[in-house]
Amino acid sequence: MGENLIIKHATIVTPVGRSARKGSEMADLRTIADGCVVARDGIIEYVGPTAECPVADTKGFREIDAEGRALLPGFVDSHTHLIFGGFRPDEFEWRLKGDTYMSIMERGGGIQSTVNATRATSEDELVRRAQWFLDNMSRMGVTTVEAKSGYGLDTETEEKMLNAIRRLADKEGQPVRIVSTFLGAHAVPKEYAGRTDEYVDLIINEMLPRFKSMTDCCDIFCEKNVFEIEESRRLLTAAKEMGYKLKLHADEIVQLGGAELAAELGALSADHLLHVSDAGVEAMAKAGVVATLLPLTAFTLKEPYAPARKFIDADGAVALATDLNPGSCFSGSIPLTIALACIYMKMTIEETITALTLNGAAAIGLADKVGSIEEGKAADFVMLATDNINILPYYVGMNCVRTVISGGRTVVENP
Ligand code: NIG
Ligand code: FE
């Protein structure tokens, strides 16, 4: 249940809208100096100047004086793999010594190694571990998180992961909103080695129908030697027919045409895109597919950053997310994501804010509920330590979030 809250004297900075902001709109933030927000039952009902605050009798409201500090929408981390068993620190070391992500996967490590560990981990334990990550994310200003399945690769364990995500989402006092994505097509499990088509059949015939009531989105690792374009098209088309919204891990390791496939199928987002073609950028922009870029993964894998500017200049919509997972990117750092986006992907600070709020919300189908400070949306806010949004990339990799509010409730008060 949300709370009644009034915040006064804030420097409100927010994108505006109920869909992804594209191209030049991404830099177009609404700023209200000495702004006020009124929320009832966790939903915003007034945004405007403090001088015009419509609530005269503040009884029944909690009041916060922002003392001029910047107030942004809560951050949306729209791509994470936060449910998993085990850890893979030795792979990290092998990569430091020159191994590649795919060579480790091809010899049975990588995702399959986390699959083995996740199958052996109880649902209770998965919930407990994920909560630790969620609490960390919350302290950095995240108020909405997408969590994927995909370390089960059998019906039973995929269901265990989706159940764990649902329990986290429903947990009393949970500081973040959580939505799930089904990623049964994260890899071909060892039992199906060399029989990718049969595994795709299992997903289509058994998993997708079974999980439809548990999640809205279906994702796939569309990659050379994992699920190639034809296999991805077959699976995603079936998912779409069952009413799933589509997401793709696309063009992450090599240029395969995942972006073009996302456009063809009208996916909600295509993610990673480190090696996207120019035609893929154009096609996604035209089709309104959100490009979810994950700079922490590029950083960790020592790969080139995704071409954020190409997407924005093509009038496309860019979201940013962390990709938190035990392999390719064991980090959920929002501050570092912001710094990398500004420094290496040439995104402006304003574009970065839109990408981490409204466009992240759009990438998980929630742009009508969260992602901006507007009437009718959830009272999810991040208050920075200063009035100046430039602090976000400037204080490199450091947390400059002071207060985090979720549904009108203060969930983090950083010293
Ligand atoms: O987004 N590339 C596929 N999936 C994840 C990595 C998962 C893992 O390595 O465990 C990613 O990079
Ligand atoms: Fe991922």
Side-chain angles (χ1 to χ4, degrees):
M1 191 62 192
E3 293 187 5
N4 299 342
L5 172 71
I6 301 181
I7 304 175
K8 289 183 173 169
H9 310 300
T11 304
I12 297 174
V13 182
T14 181
V16 177
R18 284 177 151 72
S19 58
R21 300 294 86 190
K22 299 180 199 162
S24 59
E25 296 168 355
M26 282 188 65
D28 192 11
L29 301 182
R30 174 188 290 167
T31 300
I32 306 174
D34 199 357
C36 167
V37 180
V38 177
R40 203 184 293 270
D41 291 335
I43 302 292
I44 299 169
E45 61 175 34
Y46 169 80
V47 185
T50 302
E52 291 165 31
C53 176
V55 180
D57 179 5
T58 58
K59 212 167 130 246
F61 285 86
R62 193 163 65 87
E63 274 190 272
I64 295 177
D65 182 350
E67 297 172 331
R69 293 186 183 86
L71 189 75
L72 313 182
F75 297 134
V76 178
D77 192 346
S78 61
H79 182 139
T80 85
H81 307 252
L82 78 100
I83 313 283
F84 58 89
F87 293 97
R88 285 150 49 198
D90 29 354
E91 287 182 15
F92 183 83
E93 197 193 341
W94 298 339
R95 288 204 308 272
L96 292 180
K97 290 182 174 150
D99 269 328
T100 64
Y101 179 78
M102 285 313 270
S103 70
I104 294 169
M105 182 160 171
E106 272 148 25
R107 54 176 204 256
I111 293 170
Q112 182 63 53
S113 146
T114 298
V115 168
N116 298 340
T118 305
R119 288 177 179 176
T121 304
S122 70
E123 190 180 301
D124 285 351
E125 181 65 3
L126 291 176
V127 168
R128 195 187 64 76
R129 288 166 54 110
Q131 188 62 56
W132 187 86
F133 292 108
L134 289 169
D135 290 339
N136 268 345
M137 295 158 105
S138 172
R139 283 190 279 275
M140 292 181 281
V142 172
T143 52
T144 301
V145 169
E146 181 254 21
K148 301 176 194 295
S149 71
Y151 291 122
L153 311 187
D154 60 31
T155 306
E156 186 191 332
T157 317
E158 288 295 311
E159 182 159 287
K160 179 170 75 178
M161 292 188 74
L162 291 171
N163 269 328
I165 298 169
R166 183 152 67 183
R167 280 173 56 186
L168 288 159
D170 293 346
K171 197 164 154 186
E172 181 74 28
Q174 184 61 266
V176 293
R177 292 164 209 285
I178 304 168
V179 297
S180 64
T181 293
F182 169 60
L183 178 56
H186 198 187
V188 179
K190 56 182 187 294
E191 315 81 80
Y192 281 85
R195 297 187 292 138
T196 305
D197 276 332
E198 286 174 51
Y199 183 56
V200 171
D201 287 340
L202 176 77
I203 295 177
I204 292 176
N205 298 325
E206 189 171 297
M207 299 197 205
L208 284 173
R210 187 176 176 109
F211 301 146
K212 186 65 198 70
S213 62
M214 299 178 76
T215 185
D216 292 333
C217 293
C218 176
D219 196 346
I220 188 167
F221 187 15
C222 173
E223 186 62 51
K224 187 164 183 281
N225 296 331
V226 190
F227 297 96
E228 306 251 354
I229 291 293
E230 260 325 303
E231 294 151 350
S232 303
R233 182 183 281 114
R234 183 159 83 88
L235 188 143
L236 293 172
T237 302
K240 187 174 174 177
E241 279 165 8
M242 289 183 220
Y244 282 94
K245 295 173 197 157
L246 308 181
K247 298 173 83 66
L248 289 81
H249 284 64
D251 302 318
E252 176 180 357
I253 312 289
V254 300
Q255 190 177 105
L256 200 68
E260 289 87 335
L261 182 64
E264 172 193 319
L265 296 174
L268 216 43
S269 75
D271 303 27
H272 285 291
L273 301 162
L274 304 184
H275 300 281
V276 65
S277 70
D278 289 347
V281 170
E282 286 294 332
M284 279 178 56
K286 233 197 193 124
V289 180
V290 177
T292 300
L293 308 183
L294 309 161
L296 293 170
T297 312
F299 175 71
T300 310
L301 294 180
K302 293 191 274 189
E303 289 285 328
Y305 293 90
R309 281 259 64 88
K310 279 191 187 175
F311 279 104
I312 298 171
D313 294 344
D315 205 28
V318 169
L320 287 162
T322 65
D323 196 24
L324 169 66
N325 74 71
S328 67
C329 179
F330 189 42
S331 172
S333 176
I334 293 292
L336 191 55
T337 299
I338 292 172
L340 295 176
C342 291
I343 298 169
Y344 290 109
M345 293 160 76
K346 302 190 172 60
M347 292 175 69
T348 67
I349 299 168
E350 289 80 3
E351 288 166 347
T352 301
I353 290 173
T354 300
L356 264 176
T357 57
L358 185 55
N359 284 8
I364 49 176
L366 287 184
D368 56 337
K369 295 197 173 63
V370 301
S372 63
I373 305 181
E374 288 181 272
E375 282 134 43
K377 290 216 185 179
D380 295 357
F381 311 115
V382 168
M383 194 191 293
L384 304 183
T386 75
D387 63 345
N388 191 340
I389 57 170
N390 293 356
I391 185 108
L392 283 168
Y394 169 53
Y395 195 30
V396 176
M398 302 297 282
N399 192 9
C400 52
V401 166
R402 177 185 164 111
T403 308
V404 183
I405 294 166
S406 171
R409 186 168 61 92
T410 296
V411 292
V412 173
E413 196 78 76
N414 285 323

